[in-house]
Amino acid sequence: MAYIYKIIASPVGQLKLVASGKGLAAILWDRDDPKRVRLGPLDPDPAHPVLLQAEQQLGEYFAGRRTGFSIDLDMAGTDFQKRVWNALLTIPFGETRSYADIARQIGSPKAFRAMGAANGRNPISIIVPCHRAIGSDGTLHGFAGGLDAKRYLLALERKREMAAV
């Protein structure tokens, strides 16, 4: 499968947006481990409609004008990973859930470590909000973009939520 990409600047660093023929396939971090999200060959196409749509929606999110995303996603992973990623999509903007909460939500209450591993393989960071998954004690754990980026995203969402009250 051929993938196309576009690199954009953001408040959390450079992001590589990747699309397939079916939709947005990945948002990769500047210092992402190449083994975290396995993709085929990548060709640049900064004018591809899916990538332009993702760039626009991310820009609105970072500017505090968007609390949800409406873009076709093409998440490649195992059935378990896809269940985890779909559960992440149900976490409301500005809220968090523990790894254990998500494991229970997908019907695998003892699989919180596997849930954490699947969370770490989420190919579409930010839009599929893996940053909203935290430890049961409220601590922040690993994040592909780094803990500073995770803190930033959570603070951005809390600030927006507080402004809406």
Side-chain angles (χ1 to χ4, degrees):
M1 173 180 283
Y3 292 95
I4 53 168
Y5 76 92
K6 172 183 179 113
I7 295 174
I8 65 167
S10 83
V12 290
Q14 269 192 348
L15 299 173
K16 183 184 283 186
L17 310 179
V18 181
S20 70
K22 297 178 185 176
L24 188 66
I27 297 177
L28 305 174
W29 300 88
D30 192 28
R31 291 176 296 251
D32 221 327
D33 179 347
K35 294 181 226 159
R36 188 180 73 80
V37 177
R38 296 182 187 268
L39 299 166
L42 299 173
D43 293 316
D45 185 356
H48 189 278
V50 169
L51 300 176
L52 292 174
Q53 182 183 23
E55 180 180 27
Q56 176 187 352
Q57 290 187 18
L58 285 165
E60 292 167 354
Y61 168 83
F62 286 119
R65 295 189 312 268
R66 177 175 285 275
T67 60
F69 296 91
S70 58
I71 188 167
D72 291 333
L73 304 178
D74 183 17
M75 298 185 286
T78 67
D79 287 341
F80 180 81
Q81 287 171 331
K82 289 178 185 177
R83 285 180 25 227
V84 168
W85 302 334
N86 282 314
L88 293 171
L89 287 166
T90 69
I91 304 172
F93 181 90
E95 295 184 21
T96 58
R97 297 289 182 273
S98 72
Y99 296 108
D101 290 337
I102 297 166
R104 281 191 295 277
Q105 180 180 340
I106 64 169
S108 301
K110 295 184 184 203
F112 58 90
R113 283 192 177 90
M115 181 274 148
N119 190 54
R121 296 253 183 214
N122 170 21
I124 308 176
S125 296
I126 305 169
I127 290 177
V128 177
C130 51
H131 61 279
R132 295 181 192 154
I134 61 172
S136 294
D137 61 359
T139 58
L140 302 185
H141 293 275
F143 184 62
L147 290 182
D148 286 343
K150 186 169 188 164
R151 280 186 205 93
Y152 179 90
L153 296 170
L154 292 172
L156 174 75
E157 293 184 12
R158 278 193 302 271
K159 180 180 174 185
R160 174 78 167 95
E161 279 296 292
M162 295 301 290
V165 175

